[in-house]
Amino acid sequence: MDKKKKDKKIISGENRFDPRRARMGFAQSTREVKKASPAVLTEDFPALLSEIFLENGIVIPRGSGSEDDSPLHGNGTVKPGRPDTEDTDYMVLRNLSSFAAILIETNSLFNLTAIKEPEEIALLHFADSLKISDDIPKGARVLDIGSGAGFPAVPLAVARPDIKVTAIDSTGKKVDFINRAAKQLQLSNLSAVCGRAEELLSTVIAQNHIAGIDRGSFDIVTARAVADLGILYEICFPAVRTGGSFIAMKAEKGREEFSRGSTQFSKLGGNGGTISEYTLKHKDETYSRSIITVTKIEETPEIYPRSYGTIRKKPLF
Ligand code: SAM
């Protein structure tokens, strides 16, 4: 490798040796991550996830997983990587670990997400996605718009077998990935549909009523890191049933976008909304995040959502 490239790699931290990562059997560089074997992830990742969930106040009650939650294999041997925690469902941790393995493997072939390292996936994808789990009522029908590689849709479907999750994304390869992961993980409560949300939910575009994506029919509609709230609200809110809620998961700009929107939510039948801010943390890394929730108190007028061109040109706020 020429010297300039080598220096750049060292500055970016790509080559820094982390003994803890080595102990966990995790890769030391981006290139190695691409080779991280599914076996390593499924065996050691549950313990890392458990630690990160604990640090970030994510609790998955025992019994949430659908299968055997025993720490032992059928032959009496101890399952590898079983975290030492009494209140987290081990089956959920194992299923999330299997999903991490599928994600890393597929991401090395097609670019699905910029978050590629096991630790980042655990914190920024899994822990963050599950921050809203407690806000979802039992048995809810959930629509996740702009799901990308499956966030928050997949972690929610894994941790909450009582809910039914539909994911929408406009990119076919991401939808195919989610459907393939759902099949591999045997998640009968998760399916994904390809399309633009504003077209699927429109009263005027003929493409609506596909695969049960009906306006005003979902208990909860989620969207994480998809668009500015002034655009996102119009794209998503028509799907919420009266009495249900839209949950937008945002990074640093959440507070500013919420302040602009709270007087405008009523145009589509929403209440004034709420915002809750939190920090995702692991070791010395911290990330500011926010959750904006708007509840539907009246039906959304039929003219919404408008075409994407109009929404972009004249956003609601
Ligand atoms: N929610 C995921 C996450 O948090 O990792 C993905 C975020 S990614 C930045 C945004 C995704 O939203 C992309 O996969 C894009 O294809 C999708 N998207 C953007 N606008 C959309 C729309 N109007 N309808 C459906 N999908 C959309």
Side-chain angles (χ1 to χ4, degrees):
M1 187 188 303
D2 77 43
K3 189 175 175 320
K4 255 192 194 161
K5 271 194 191 156
K6 196 172 174 193
D7 288 350
K8 211 169 156 197
K9 268 192 115 183
I10 290 169
I11 290 164
S12 73
E14 224 180 292
N15 276 352
R16 204 183 305 137
F17 182 78
D18 178 343
R20 187 178 164 280
R21 290 180 61 77
R23 242 186 359 263
M24 298 287 298
F26 287 143
Q28 293 292 330
S29 71
T30 313
R31 185 172 301 169
E32 271 183 68
V33 168
K34 288 185 181 160
K35 288 190 278 172
S37 79
V40 164
L41 277 160
T42 39
E43 285 177 14
D44 295 332
F45 198 72
L48 172 70
L49 258 187
S50 171
E51 180 190 323
I52 286 180
F53 283 1
L54 211 64
E55 270 176 283
N56 289 278
I58 308 286
V59 175
I60 300 162
R62 275 177 167 279
S64 304
S66 45
E67 269 181 45
D68 164 38
D69 194 27
S70 158
L72 302 178
H73 286 299
N75 62 7
T77 55
V78 178
K79 288 174 183 166
R82 190 181 199 290
D84 182 20
T85 165
E86 281 306 308
D87 54 4
T88 298
D89 194 295
Y90 179 51
M91 193 62 208
V92 170
L93 296 176
R94 279 207 306 166
N95 284 342
L96 288 174
S97 304
S98 302
F99 179 55
I102 300 170
L103 178 64
I104 288 173
E105 198 184 3
T106 313
N107 212 31
S108 66
L109 305 171
F110 316 100
N111 190 22
L112 297 171
T113 169
I115 295 170
K116 294 176 162 68
E117 298 234 22
E119 252 167 340
E120 288 183 323
I121 290 172
L123 180 68
L124 300 178
H125 274 334
F126 293 171
D128 192 39
S129 292
L130 292 176
K131 270 279 173 191
I132 59 169
S133 180
D134 288 348
D135 302 332
I136 300 178
K138 201 165 169 39
R141 278 187 74 221
V142 177
L143 180 68
D144 182 35
I145 292 180
S147 212
F151 302 102
V154 179
L156 288 175
V158 170
R160 294 284 307 273
D162 61 297
I163 64 173
K164 187 174 182 322
V165 183
T166 306
I168 295 182
D169 202 280
S170 52
T171 307
K173 69 175 179 182
K174 295 179 179 174
V175 169
D176 290 346
F177 168 73
I178 296 172
N179 280 327
R180 191 165 60 83
K183 201 168 168 193
Q184 276 181 250
L185 298 171
Q186 299 183 325
L187 294 172
S188 57
N189 63 340
L190 172 68
S191 63
V193 171
C194 187
R196 293 202 62 89
E198 68 280 8
E199 293 176 3
L200 293 167
L201 295 167
S202 167
T203 55
V204 290
I205 298 177
Q207 204 194 341
N208 62 351
H209 305 304
I210 290 175
I213 314 283
D214 291 322
R215 290 169 64 89
S217 71
F218 289 89
D219 302 304
I220 298 287
V221 176
T222 57
R224 192 185 81 142
V226 176
D228 182 279
L229 193 62
I231 291 174
L232 192 63
Y233 179 63
E234 180 167 351
I235 288 173
C236 298
F237 205 67
V240 180
R241 70 162 173 82
T242 305
S245 298
F246 167 52
I247 302 178
M249 306 178 73
K250 310 282 305 179
E252 292 80 12
K253 291 194 178 152
R255 169 65 63 182
E256 176 208 319
E257 293 177 14
F258 176 74
S259 305
R260 273 195 282 121
S262 58
T263 55
Q264 305 298 315
F265 294 145
S266 59
K267 282 185 184 160
L268 268 61
N271 68 356
T274 59
I275 181 165
S276 91
E277 288 161 293
Y278 61 97
T279 303
L280 283 174
K281 49 186 182 296
H282 181 53
K283 297 189 205 158
D284 45 7
E285 304 280 346
T286 57
Y287 303 85
S288 302
R289 295 287 182 268
S290 55
I291 295 169
I292 294 162
T293 305
V294 187
T295 297
K296 190 174 274 196
I297 51 177
E298 276 172 20
E299 266 185 40
T300 298
E302 292 210 342
I303 56 158
Y304 300 113
R306 298 165 294 166
S307 72
Y308 189 65
T310 309
I311 298 174
R312 277 211 60 134
K313 244 186 272 160
K314 293 185 182 165
L316 283 178
F317 51 87

